[in-house]
Amino acid sequence: MKEAFTFHDVLLVPKRSSVRSRKDVDTSGRFSKNITLKCPVVSANMDTVTEARMAIAMARCGGLGIIHRFLTIEEEVAEVVKVKRAESVVIENPYTVGPEDSLEYARSLIERHEVGGLIVVDRERRVVGILSNRDMQFQTDGAVQIKRVMTKNPITAKVGTTPDEAEEILREKKIEKLPLVDGKGVLQGLITAKDIKAKRHRPEASKDKKGRLLGGAAVGGVGDFMERAAALLEGGADCLVVDVAHGHADHVIDAVKKLKKKFGSAELVAGNVATYEGARDLAAAGADGIKVGVGPGSICSTRIVSGSGVPQLSAVIECAKITKERGIPVIADGGIRDSGDITKALAAGASSVMLGSLLAGADESPGWTVVRGGTRYKVYRGMASLTATLSRKKKESTENLDPIEVAEVVPEGVESMAPYKGPVAEVVYQLQGGLRSGMSYSGARSLPEFWTKAEFVRISAAAWAESKPHALDK
Ligand code: XMP
């Protein structure tokens, strides 16, 4: 019988280092063959962790968010679209209204798409005005036509205007939105001051070639997964994650093959597995990234219920052989409790990590905030927990749940609470700071260097107790 270990069984041995400042450490790591993140941290595809708000915030920090799949196809696509439209150098299809539409309609569009204003176009899509919050703020009559309140004949620029030229115009004219038009005045795009500022202030953000934030989305391995995948890619998803608890299964391998065949150019991450054989088979099926972790998660009960799993550090070490062999990155998913565990997961060969509980308490996670004993928490639950399974069943049917159906559920996850943590950017900043520090203790300036230099030492329970702050222990 082999022995296997997890994060708290080991520490990294400090090495001679030439790194003077932690800022000199490049933490970049890959999520998939062609997606590199400056901060190799990904928010989990769970319904209490990642929808558009979290994915947007994660991409702004240099990480990535994967929208969960426990939504209708339309709902999941809508979350992806929000991420892809949150920022871009040129918004190619800005939301528009007609001059005769009502203010009420414009307000509903603004709310639904979470945008700051709309471009007003005539029937030929020629720009005739802009409707911003400033135009609407004291208007109480929802029936009023937009042409009565909009800013008429706004300043426009020719399609092809560069971001630098646009910035000059925005500054000089003291405006916030610059519609781009062709020779006939027909709307072709939009550049906003907000996006230009974001670009300058956040050079580390994860972006695509068009300057839009990166966002991924999950699909299953059975049922509507092909249709869902097509819709998500059409909506702009930068990668698909085939999310199945036991990814080393024939039907998952077949699903990966089918997806790769149909959507060859799309980045495809698949999981979860916990063995080299699992990683190898998914890679052979066409996966561009392998998600590793069977049962290590903070809300998982898979190992208790089923008796199956591999301690996460050993699982990552095993699976990461595929990175050496085929250049396919491994994502360590689950069981990460501190920044030190991120460092250890990467030292073990992972190229990025996926987090649930560490991010679930952030402002941007979906779901309820609860107060217990005067402390704020956010609800965090396993996707195979009883309540998550029942919510899913309820969504799929209009009828009340049959008690027999409820009794038949065998949960492999639990409902829990994550302490409230404020903005996720602050959480990620601390985690990335810890990672930089950890890499510098090993004398590494980059992930590939870290892989060659990192050395683990096994520790006892007493050594782990010594490792934690213990000044107040008596
Ligand atoms: P952490 O430890 O970051 O783990 O909270 C998040 C990861 O846990 C997995 N996950 C589950 N595993 N039962 C499980 O056995 C579940 O109900 C469940 N829900 C999520 C998933 O891989 C996630 O990223």
Side-chain angles (χ1 to χ4, degrees):
M1 195 190 300
K2 279 194 246 168
E3 257 193 302
F5 305 100
T6 195
F7 303 120
H8 288 187
D9 292 320
V10 299
L11 284 170
L12 283 157
V13 181
K15 295 280 172 79
R16 180 168 178 159
S17 174
S18 64
V19 181
R20 277 174 165 254
S21 158
R22 285 163 193 170
K23 287 200 187 104
D24 297 339
V25 175
D26 176 3
T27 60
S28 298
R30 285 184 305 157
F31 178 68
S32 65
K33 258 189 206 165
N34 297 303
I35 295 184
T36 299
L37 307 171
K38 294 210 170 83
C39 175
V41 174
V42 182
S43 64
N45 41 279
M46 297 171 72
D47 69 354
T48 48
V49 182
T50 313
E51 287 179 358
R53 250 189 101 197
M54 177 63 85
I56 291 168
M58 288 301 296
R60 283 182 176 151
C61 300
L64 183 70
I66 308 298
I67 310 286
H68 70 91
R69 66 185 168 93
F70 303 102
L71 297 164
T72 64
I73 294 180
E74 294 70 32
E75 287 168 344
E76 192 177 354
V77 171
E79 295 301 306
V80 168
V81 169
K82 277 187 211 161
V83 179
K84 296 311 291 179
R85 295 187 75 110
E87 274 175 33
S88 76
V89 178
V90 177
I91 302 165
E92 285 175 345
N93 291 302
Y95 293 113
T96 58
V97 277
E100 267 87 44
D101 288 332
S102 70
L103 191 59
E104 197 175 9
Y105 171 67
R107 281 200 173 119
S108 73
L109 267 190
I110 286 178
E111 203 170 297
R112 176 148 36 104
H113 299 301
E114 296 173 22
V115 290
L118 300 165
I119 309 297
V120 189
V121 293
D122 65 13
R123 273 170 220 249
E124 278 75 46
R125 284 191 65 78
R126 284 180 302 228
V127 176
V128 295
I130 285 189
L131 187 70
S132 67
N133 279 326
R134 221 181 321 154
D135 300 314
M136 297 186 291
Q137 62 185 339
F138 295 116
Q139 294 293 338
T140 49
D141 179 8
V144 70
Q145 285 186 320
I146 287 169
K147 63 183 173 195
R148 313 228 171 274
V149 291
M150 69 185 190
T151 302
K152 293 191 183 103
N153 303 321
I155 292 160
T156 59
K158 279 206 199 91
V159 62
T161 301
T162 66
D164 287 345
E165 289 163 352
E167 186 176 343
E168 189 59 40
I169 301 171
L170 290 165
R171 186 176 36 234
E172 196 183 303
K173 307 285 181 196
K174 298 195 172 86
I175 53 174
E176 305 228 306
K177 289 189 165 57
L178 185 65
L180 303 181
V181 295
D182 64 14
K184 294 184 180 137
V186 174
L187 181 64
Q188 300 292 336
L190 174 69
I191 295 183
T192 71
K194 189 180 109 217
D195 289 341
I196 288 189
K197 276 187 241 159
K199 187 168 180 265
R200 191 162 345 110
H201 289 147
R202 283 191 284 267
E204 72 284 3
S206 308
K207 299 218 168 164
D208 65 17
K209 285 191 191 106
K210 292 181 175 169
R212 300 175 302 180
L213 295 173
L214 291 186
V219 298
V222 287
D224 67 8
F225 73 100
M226 289 300 285
E227 189 194 336
R228 190 175 282 268
L232 291 166
L233 292 171
E234 178 69 26
D238 296 286
C239 62
L240 295 178
V241 175
V242 182
D243 158 48
V244 181
H246 182 27
H248 195 194
D250 292 347
H251 72 279
V252 182
I253 293 170
D254 288 344
V256 172
K257 281 185 189 159
K258 254 176 117 177
L259 286 163
K260 202 64 197 174
K261 193 164 175 219
K262 181 96 196 267
F263 311 108
S265 58
E267 290 290 290
L268 192 63
V269 168
N272 278 19
V273 295
T275 59
Y276 165 72
E277 291 75 15
R280 178 199 63 198
D281 292 349
L282 288 179
D288 302 303
I290 309 289
K291 206 145 73 73
V292 174
V294 174
S298 60
I299 36 48
C300 298
S301 55
T302 294
R303 292 182 186 169
I304 304 304
V305 172
S306 73
S308 190
V310 175
Q312 185 66 344
L313 187 80
S314 295
V316 171
I317 291 172
E318 279 300 302
C319 293
K321 288 179 189 162
I322 205 69
T323 312
K324 274 202 191 126
E325 278 173 27
R326 298 193 48 172
I328 295 174
V330 152
I331 304 110
D333 173 21
I336 289 178
R337 304 183 198 202
D338 298 291
S339 53
D341 293 347
I342 299 181
T343 314
K344 291 173 191 174
L346 297 181
S351 296
S352 54
V353 297
M354 179 171 265
L355 307 180
S357 74
L358 280 180
L359 306 177
D363 281 328
E364 293 83 350
S365 70
W368 314 277
T369 302
V370 291
V371 178
R372 284 281 152 83
T375 307
R376 276 172 87 185
Y377 297 89
K378 286 190 90 168
V379 171
Y380 177 48
R381 65 183 184 185
M383 293 316 305
S385 65
L386 183 64
T387 58
T389 310
L390 295 184
S391 312
R392 215 148 53 227
K393 284 182 184 285
K394 243 176 156 172
K395 232 179 163 171
E396 285 159 8
S397 143
T398 46
E399 313 220 332
N400 278 342
L401 285 178
D402 177 351
I404 297 178
E405 227 184 320
V406 174
E408 279 173 352
V409 175
V410 182
E412 289 194 16
V414 299
E415 294 78 10
S416 168
M417 293 186 304
Y420 172 73
K421 291 188 174 158
V424 77
E426 289 173 15
V427 179
V428 173
Y429 180 85
Q430 290 297 323
L431 296 176
Q432 193 179 15
L435 171 60
R436 282 184 206 284
S437 175
M439 289 171 70
S440 76
Y441 274 109
S442 286
R445 288 166 193 272
S446 69
L447 196 49
E449 197 182 355
F450 193 33
W451 288 338
T452 62
K453 291 192 167 169
E455 182 191 338
F456 285 116
V457 59
R458 272 191 64 196
I459 61 169
S460 63
W464 180 246
E466 178 192 68
S467 305
K468 291 186 289 184
H470 52 266
L472 298 178
D473 294 354
K474 281 283 166 274

